[in-house]
Amino acid sequence: MISLSCPAPITGTGSVLLGHGSGGKLSAELLRGIFLRAFDNPLLARLEDQAVVEVAGARLAFTTDSFVVKPLFFRGGDIGSLAVHGTVNDLAMGGAQPLALSAAFILEEGFPLADLRRITDSMARAAAAAGTTIVTGDTKVVERRSGDGVYVTTTGIGLVAAGVSLSAAQARPGDAVVLSGAIGDHGIAILSAREGLELDGDIASDSAPLNGLVEAILAVTREVRAMRDPTRGGLASTLNEIAAQSHVGITLSEDAIRVHAGVRGACEILGLDPLHVANEGKLVALVPADCADEIVQAMQRHPLGREAAIIGAVTERDPGLVTMRTTFGTTRIVDMLAGDQLPRIC
Amino acid sequence: MISLSCPAPITGTGSVLLGHGSGGKLSAELLRGIFLRAFDNPLLARLEDQAVVEVAGARLAFTTDSFVVKPLFFRGGDIGSLAVHGTVNDLAMGGAQPLALSAAFILEEGFPLADLRRITDSMARAAAAAGTTIVTGDTKVVERRSGDGVYVTTTGIGLVAAGVSLSAAQARPGDAVVLSGAIGDHGIAILSAREGLELDGDIASDSAPLNGLVEAILAVTREVRAMRDPTRGGLASTLNEIAAQSHVGITLSEDAIRVHAGVRGACEILGLDPLHVANEGKLVALVPADCADEIVQAMQRHPLGREAAIIGAVTERDPGLVTMRTTFGTTRIVDMLAGDQLPRIC
């Protein structure tokens, strides 16, 4: 699900830019200017990573994502595992455990069947690891140069845990901002695979299913305000969305945000801000300050949360603004991603 | 959802052909050789157009389809309305009314935003007409020549009506085969738009939401065995799937199968069999013979079933085989579509 920040509707007669898929400002403009306008309804307008639909008295989370990552295979995963993790994580960010997934494939004529088999095997393993299965699907084929090997669209349904109600509009002044681990691994792993870069430390994607980590968090308290996985647009874009939707400020402490040395080095060479680089196995949670320490400890006991830390706080002042106290003691504004730093990252 | 017929697994090291997306024999081979093997589970193995998942004691239908139709706009619809109808219909064929839809877009760089707006407006209207809404979505952008304007993947969830249990494996000898109207309109409308053919009678796609018609059928009896919308691969492929899954024969009467004059003429010129041409607003139902007349009458009172008729019967002999008594009094075998007659029809 793409997310909102900019209020400007699209009224012109322009055309689609790569940046419209960035998860940053242009994506938000497209969402507001076209999709929200056409599909106007309160569930979509919540702008969460998943819709929550009432079914027989239960709350069913429902989410979809297309995956166009390039290359299809990379260190730490492939388009198949990424598609499963992405959808499981969008359910998890709503406090839901997956019930079932669907998978729709758009294949380019000439795509090797051996690669398709490798991808579907990877999807099956990823689904099993997240405790779910792929129960329905579809396949279409397009001519050469009308696709790029394979695109996968996964959709998930899941049950929201009782007593849990998460929303990016619920952050409150005083809340703590908790991050589950180091940022930027996925984006740099993709970039390195695509461009054949030789980077220090063999950076692998962090692609992983977060539903187990979410379960560990919700076992501490159901009073969590919001959870998000900072994918396209990175941690900066995700926190800007939360600040905008909750009408609060967010202050971060650069010291507390882990960036692995190889990612930091690659970002410096390439002129990227790690805060804008995509993650596929990290979550940021907005939680009441008085249970933040206990949540971090519970996360650290989970294999996917070992590097969890409190990275900032929610403030009443500067609503809609994310700022960061740098390691040099200065303060800077942390903006949404503008343009498209890394196309086809997921 | 693609469907099964051929038992041969894919073991070679080949590559994807356009025919793998045809809805015919090659699609069935791909399904069995790759997808069923990787995603092995009983829900998927049912090979219905939708999976049915238990949620809080209710039966939830869940279905997904990618749409790659070319051209994007055609007489009688566009990729947006087609995507909504296709998903609503896959739910309806399981006896379910739609609860909510998702929509994921893969946009090609340079695609006109005005066209995207036209498509999303069309989707919103189609969803409203089917009594549902699009509650969550996603957008990705790929480079020029890595896509073809826009591909849309819609997923639907819906509640299966109480007391209804439909399956292509349930046809029984003696059942009647009921068809809701004339066949081949969608495929010929697409072909005509794509190739700029001038055809008699201005053939328009029959793309339409069938959930209302299904409601009218189920109001007569809940004892319907199976329903399918004969899309890719046409009526012939759909009936072959039912015959194979139910281990029964099916005999058709050519006289009873309506084909509009313009479609018949186009098929003759182009060497196509109307039984293999795609439909997007028709359904075929396998029903107990003793309520077939009443069902047909109920269908004829619905705007989308005015041309409904009994077109054949289920037999014990020749299990897996579909035959047709022609207008000339001879009998011929009606086979699944082989190869790909009309790529990118939906």
Side-chain angles (χ1 to χ4, degrees):
Chain A
M1 182 61 210
I2 46 178
S3 310
L4 162 91
S5 170
C6 302
I10 291 179
T11 50
T13 54
S15 58
V16 171
L17 308 172
L18 280 175
H20 282 124
S22 66
K25 288 183 180 177
L26 279 171
S27 295
E29 283 175 28
L30 192 69
L31 174 61
R32 171 157 284 225
I34 303 236
F35 296 109
L36 281 187
R37 195 171 278 213
F39 303 149
D40 181 37
N41 66 71
L43 276 173
L44 186 63
R46 286 175 64 243
L47 296 169
E48 302 294 338
D49 286 343
Q50 69 300 120
V52 177
V53 181
E54 284 273 334
V55 176
R59 289 181 302 158
L60 190 80
F62 181 37
T63 187
T64 193
D65 265 315
S66 287
F67 291 84
V68 300
V69 67
K70 184 181 180 175
L72 298 173
F73 302 95
F74 47 85
R75 188 182 290 269
D78 56 64
I79 191 171
S81 55
L82 188 66
V84 169
H85 294 156
T87 293
V88 166
N89 292 351
D90 279 349
L91 293 174
M93 297 306 108
Q97 290 295 326
L99 271 175
L101 305 181
S102 69
F105 297 82
I106 298 174
L107 304 173
E108 186 188 9
E109 189 186 4
F111 185 63
L113 290 173
D115 284 353
L116 182 59
R117 200 175 294 112
R118 194 174 152 199
I119 289 164
T120 52
D121 286 348
S122 168
M123 293 180 79
R125 280 193 305 273
T132 190
T133 49
I134 294 161
V135 297
T136 192
D138 182 53
T139 307
K140 294 293 182 334
V141 180
V142 297
E143 308 88 337
R144 285 171 202 272
R145 287 177 296 282
S146 290
D148 195 4
V150 57
Y151 298 140
V152 184
T153 301
T154 39
T155 305
I157 53 176
L159 280 177
V160 180
V164 172
S165 177
L166 300 166
S167 164
Q170 293 183 157
R172 300 180 202 167
D175 285 351
V177 182
V178 172
L179 180 65
S180 66
I183 59 171
D185 292 16
H186 177 72
I188 297 302
I190 295 296
L191 195 66
S192 137
R194 193 186 302 167
E195 311 295 344
L197 300 179
E198 292 288 334
L199 299 174
D200 285 350
D202 288 341
I203 298 152
S205 168
D206 60 341
S207 181
L210 293 168
N211 53 323
L213 184 61
V214 166
E215 210 168 30
I217 293 170
L218 295 178
V220 173
T221 174
R222 311 242 141 175
E223 296 302 308
V224 175
R225 319 283 196 207
M227 283 192 285
R228 283 287 174 96
D229 55 335
T231 57
R232 284 184 293 176
L235 182 63
S237 298
T238 297
L239 290 177
N240 268 278
E241 289 163 16
I242 293 171
Q245 287 180 240
S246 295
H247 310 290
V248 295
I250 294 178
T251 59
L252 302 175
S253 171
E254 189 171 17
D255 286 336
I257 300 172
R258 286 186 70 116
V259 183
H260 293 147
V263 171
R264 189 178 297 283
C267 283
E268 275 168 15
I269 292 165
L270 300 163
L272 301 175
D273 183 343
L275 290 167
H276 284 151
V277 179
N279 314 278
E280 293 289 345
K282 296 299 179 314
L283 69 83
V284 60
L286 284 283
V287 304
D290 58 6
C291 43
D293 285 329
E294 203 184 337
I295 286 173
V296 168
Q297 287 157 23
M299 291 170 77
Q300 287 172 343
R301 286 191 294 270
H302 190 281
L304 294 173
R306 278 194 301 261
E307 299 178 328
I310 298 171
I311 62 160
V314 177
T315 65
E316 200 168 347
R317 69 166 195 286
D318 301 328
L321 203 68
V322 180
T323 56
M324 185 165 74
R325 208 169 48 255
T326 69
T327 47
F328 307 109
T330 60
T331 297
R332 75 167 174 98
I333 289 174
V334 174
D335 205 356
M336 281 197 101
L337 175 63
D340 196 5
Q341 198 184 54
L342 297 171
R344 296 183 57 185
I345 208 75
C346 60
Chain B
M1 181 63 207
I2 45 179
S3 311
L4 162 90
S5 168
C6 302
I10 291 180
T11 50
T13 54
S15 57
V16 170
L17 308 172
L18 279 175
H20 281 124
S22 66
K25 289 185 181 178
L26 279 170
S27 295
E29 282 176 30
L30 191 69
L31 174 60
R32 173 158 283 228
I34 303 234
F35 296 109
L36 281 186
R37 195 169 278 214
F39 303 150
D40 181 37
N41 65 73
L43 276 173
L44 186 63
R46 284 175 64 244
L47 296 170
E48 302 294 339
D49 286 342
Q50 69 300 120
V52 177
V53 181
E54 284 272 334
V55 176
R59 288 180 302 156
L60 190 80
F62 181 37
T63 187
T64 194
D65 265 315
S66 288
F67 291 84
V68 301
V69 66
K70 183 181 180 174
L72 298 173
F73 303 96
F74 47 85
R75 188 182 289 270
D78 56 65
I79 192 172
S81 55
L82 187 67
V84 169
H85 294 157
T87 293
V88 166
N89 293 351
D90 279 348
L91 293 175
M93 294 309 107
Q97 290 295 325
L99 272 174
L101 305 181
S102 68
F105 297 83
I106 298 174
L107 304 172
E108 186 188 9
E109 188 186 4
F111 185 63
L113 290 173
D115 285 353
L116 182 59
R117 200 176 293 114
R118 197 175 149 197
I119 289 164
T120 52
D121 286 348
S122 168
M123 293 180 79
R125 280 193 305 273
T132 190
T133 49
I134 295 161
V135 298
T136 192
D138 182 52
T139 306
K140 294 293 184 331
V141 180
V142 296
E143 308 87 338
R144 285 171 204 271
R145 286 177 296 280
S146 290
D148 194 3
V150 57
Y151 298 140
V152 184
T153 302
T154 39
T155 305
I157 53 174
L159 281 178
V160 180
V164 172
S165 177
L166 300 166
S167 163
Q170 293 182 159
R172 300 179 203 168
D175 286 351
V177 182
V178 173
L179 180 64
S180 66
I183 58 170
D185 292 16
H186 177 73
I188 298 301
I190 295 297
L191 195 64
S192 140
R194 193 187 301 167
E195 311 295 343
L197 300 181
E198 291 290 332
L199 299 175
D200 286 350
D202 289 341
I203 298 153
S205 168
D206 59 341
S207 180
L210 293 169
N211 53 322
L213 184 61
V214 167
E215 211 167 30
I217 293 170
L218 295 178
V220 174
T221 174
R222 312 242 140 175
E223 296 302 307
V224 176
R225 319 282 195 207
M227 283 192 285
R228 282 288 174 96
D229 55 335
T231 57
R232 283 185 293 177
L235 182 63
S237 299
T238 298
L239 290 178
N240 268 279
E241 289 163 17
I242 293 170
Q245 287 179 241
S246 295
H247 309 290
V248 295
I250 293 179
T251 59
L252 302 175
S253 171
E254 189 171 17
D255 286 336
I257 300 173
R258 286 186 69 115
V259 183
H260 292 146
V263 171
R264 189 178 299 282
C267 283
E268 276 169 15
I269 292 166
L270 299 163
L272 301 175
D273 183 342
L275 291 167
H276 284 150
V277 179
N279 313 278
E280 292 289 345
K282 296 299 178 314
L283 68 83
V284 61
L286 283 283
V287 305
D290 58 7
C291 43
D293 286 329
E294 202 184 338
I295 286 173
V296 168
Q297 287 156 23
M299 290 170 79
Q300 287 172 342
R301 287 191 293 270
H302 190 280
L304 294 174
R306 278 194 301 260
E307 301 178 326
I310 297 171
I311 61 161
V314 177
T315 65
E316 198 167 349
R317 67 164 198 286
D318 301 330
L321 202 67
V322 180
T323 56
M324 185 164 76
R325 206 168 49 254
T326 70
T327 47
F328 308 108
T330 59
T331 296
R332 74 167 174 97
I333 289 174
V334 175
D335 205 356
M336 281 197 100
L337 176 63
D340 196 5
Q341 199 184 49
L342 298 170
R344 295 183 57 184
I345 207 75
C346 60

